[in-house]
Amino acid sequence: MATRKADHRPTRGRPPKLSRDVICDAALSMLAEQSAASLSLRDLGEFLGVDPTAVYRHFADKDDLLREVGDRALAPAIRGLVPTDDPGEDLARLCLALRRTLLRNPVALNLTSIGPTRHRNELRITEVMLDAFLRAGLSEDDAVIGYHVLIEYTLGSALLDAPLAAQGSARTQTYRQWRSDYAALAPADYPASVRVAKRLYPPSDQVFQVGLRTLIDGLTT
Amino acid sequence: MATRKADHRPTRGRPPKLSRDVICDAALSMLAEQSAASLSLRDLGEFLGVDPTAVYRHFADKDDLLREVGDRALAPAIRGLVPTDDPGEDLARLCLALRRTLLRNPVALNLTSIGPTRHRNELRITEVMLDAFLRAGLSEDDAVIGYHVLIEYTLGSALLDAPLAAQGSARTQTYRQWRSDYAALAPADYPASVRVAKRLYPPSDQVFQVGLRTLIDGLTT
DNA sequence: ACCTGAACACCGTTCAAGT
DNA sequence: ACCTGAACACCGTTCAAGT
């Protein structure tokens, strides 16, 4: 059991200033205000009042740190989630919460470029989704496929929306610009695009709901 | 029309060594061997036999360059694509080709973090997809939603697979490791995960096909 | 045991100067 | 008109030294 529990066992020297917990908390609070890419270990060190390289006593490298920070950012996605007797509804609620969480704090999207972390929150999300598919009556093989499909879709949606979500209220203006770009294309070359240009970029939540319902309905029946 | 055609009009001085075309070709051939993140303007300059900062005469910044390079990398996704009288089949073929292209050269995945580029290949892909949904009988609003959903899913799938595709044959070993990680979890806390651990990570092409068919069927009927 | 500080090997980008 | 080269303001990471 417990592969690595002794992270800070009682030592005799002066108490350590830092720990994985303290460092992650600091990184998370910094990431609430700036983008994930712009977080440097030097800034983090300054924020903690510590030499920039002190972090290396607790994490192997920046990726290691971002993996753990990303998993922490996932916490709100499963907080307070209680299974009902409608597995399809459970899946929808989890995916909606996951997407909302990812858009609020895109650090967790970095996880996609690294692969599974097998940290706590990620594991719990996997468990809840697999359980729901199994309760819906799917075979083990189909439950696994359904799980991968829903994760791919939910992360893909959050990923494409993230840069816009960061724009806040300027978002509407950006959409207006993009629509007029499409409307200005040569109709001979891009007939369908020009035709629907005015309707491109509907509210992204609505798009996600349609895709999500389509997948859940199609996968669980 | 042609907003900016005069990229290299006949000049009187010595012929320019560089052009957007030449630079993009160089970047693409370098990216065939290394990852997108590891491409530096200094390496690119050396490859071109030119000062590292010469690129700034032709592109505003690195993002500008990567946008155009990314769009070029998309070319194989629509090359030789001819619409049939089965729009659903056209959509499936395009998404499969797009995913294959993205996995072969993940530069284009960078586009997701920037937003639409409105470069040539991206525009063509959008046009083909919107056209197919309209031919399938969807309303303009529904066609737009279908387009967004399929793009989100296809990019999400490619994004999650990309790091593994880069591993090549080591991939099988990685999957084996991950499966045994899940199998080793506490069954009391992760019953579903432990139960299906041996079946996690089926061939990712198969997962994608299931999700893709589910979406296309559900969206076009 | 944990943190510091100098150092290494890099980045993207700007701008005055050359031709 | 286009390219060069020095310079600026950064990076992540290593490692010997301190306490």
Side-chain angles (χ1 to χ4, degrees):
Chain A
M1 357 266 139
T3 56
R4 203 197 328 172
K5 72 136 62 111
D7 239 308
H8 32 13
R9 102 186 71 187
T11 50
R12 214 50 59 90
R14 58 170 175 214
K17 292 179 178 179
L18 262 36
S19 68
R20 289 176 76 102
D21 276 358
V22 168
I23 295 169
C24 283
D25 285 348
L28 265 179
S29 77
M30 294 183 72
L31 286 166
E33 282 158 29
Q34 32 177 308
S35 92
S38 70
L39 175 77
S40 74
L41 294 182
R42 281 167 162 88
D43 289 347
L44 183 58
E46 191 181 9
F47 185 92
L48 285 161
V50 125
D51 190 88
T53 65
V55 172
Y56 286 89
R57 291 301 112 206
H58 301 87
F59 292 94
D61 52 24
K62 197 184 180 184
D63 255 19
D64 188 20
L65 168 62
L66 285 181
R67 249 190 293 273
E68 189 148 329
V69 171
D71 194 75
R72 294 219 184 188
L74 288 179
I78 44 165
R79 207 186 332 264
L81 197 91
V82 281
T84 69
D85 51 4
D86 182 347
E89 206 44 42
D90 293 347
L91 287 168
R93 284 224 312 281
L94 174 57
C95 289
L96 283 164
L98 177 54
R99 179 166 178 278
R100 210 179 311 123
T101 303
L102 290 170
L103 288 179
R104 199 158 314 188
N105 195 342
V107 221
L109 280 173
N110 286 8
L111 300 182
T112 59
S113 58
I114 309 176
T117 62
R118 248 135 311 129
H119 287 155
R120 199 167 171 286
N121 291 316
E122 189 190 277
L123 286 173
R124 289 243 60 91
I125 289 171
T126 300
E127 172 68 17
V128 170
M129 289 191 57
L130 288 172
D131 175 63
F133 275 116
L134 290 173
R135 281 189 289 120
L138 269 65
S139 73
E140 295 184 2
D141 281 332
D142 288 346
V144 165
I145 289 177
Y147 155 73
H148 284 292
V149 167
L150 276 195
I151 287 291
E152 286 168 356
Y153 179 62
T154 304
L155 293 194
S157 169
L159 192 88
L160 288 175
D161 268 358
L164 282 151
Q167 283 192 20
S169 56
R171 189 189 176 110
T172 316
Q173 178 56 36
T174 303
Y175 281 150
R176 203 196 316 277
Q177 176 64 49
W178 289 355
R179 281 190 212 101
S180 74
D181 286 346
Y182 276 99
L185 290 174
D189 292 334
Y190 301 96
S193 303
V194 171
R195 183 173 155 203
V196 305
K198 283 181 293 293
R199 315 179 116 87
L200 277 173
Y201 308 109
S204 63
D205 287 350
Q206 185 195 338
V207 172
F208 181 67
Q209 294 246 19
V210 171
L212 185 61
R213 292 293 168 184
T214 305
L215 281 175
I216 293 176
D217 288 352
L219 291 168
T220 58
T221 55
Chain B
M1 354 273 131
T3 57
R4 202 196 329 169
K5 70 136 64 107
D7 238 307
H8 32 12
R9 102 186 74 184
T11 51
R12 214 50 59 90
R14 57 168 175 215
K17 291 180 177 179
L18 260 39
S19 69
R20 288 175 78 100
D21 275 359
V22 169
I23 294 170
C24 284
D25 285 349
L28 264 179
S29 77
M30 293 183 72
L31 286 166
E33 282 157 29
Q34 32 176 309
S35 93
S38 71
L39 175 76
S40 75
L41 294 183
R42 282 167 161 88
D43 290 347
L44 183 58
E46 192 181 9
F47 184 89
L48 285 160
V50 125
D51 190 89
T53 65
V55 172
Y56 285 90
R57 291 300 114 204
H58 300 88
F59 292 93
D61 53 23
K62 197 184 181 184
D63 256 19
D64 188 20
L65 169 62
L66 284 182
R67 249 190 294 273
E68 188 149 330
V69 171
D71 193 75
R72 295 217 183 190
L74 287 180
I78 43 164
R79 210 190 324 269
L81 196 92
V82 282
T84 69
D85 51 3
D86 183 347
E89 205 45 42
D90 293 347
L91 287 169
R93 284 223 312 280
L94 175 56
C95 290
L96 283 164
L98 177 54
R99 179 167 178 278
R100 212 178 308 125
T101 302
L102 290 170
L103 289 179
R104 199 157 314 187
N105 194 343
V107 221
L109 281 173
N110 287 7
L111 300 183
T112 59
S113 58
I114 310 177
T117 62
R118 249 136 310 128
H119 286 156
R120 199 167 172 287
N121 291 316
E122 188 190 277
L123 286 172
R124 289 242 61 91
I125 289 171
T126 300
E127 173 67 18
V128 169
M129 288 190 58
L130 288 171
D131 174 64
F133 275 116
L134 290 173
R135 282 189 289 121
L138 269 65
S139 73
E140 296 184 1
D141 281 333
D142 288 347
V144 165
I145 289 177
Y147 155 71
H148 283 293
V149 167
L150 277 196
I151 287 292
E152 286 167 355
Y153 178 60
T154 304
L155 293 194
S157 168
L159 192 89
L160 288 175
D161 267 359
L164 283 150
Q167 283 191 21
S169 56
R171 189 187 175 112
T172 315
Q173 178 55 35
T174 303
Y175 281 150
R176 201 195 317 278
Q177 177 62 50
W178 289 355
R179 280 191 212 99
S180 76
D181 285 346
Y182 276 100
L185 290 174
D189 293 333
Y190 300 97
S193 303
V194 171
R195 183 173 153 203
V196 306
K198 282 180 293 293
R199 314 179 116 86
L200 276 172
Y201 307 110
S204 62
D205 287 349
Q206 184 194 340
V207 172
F208 180 67
Q209 295 247 18
V210 171
L212 185 61
R213 295 291 170 186
T214 305
L215 282 175
I216 292 176
D217 288 352
L219 291 169
T220 59
T221 55

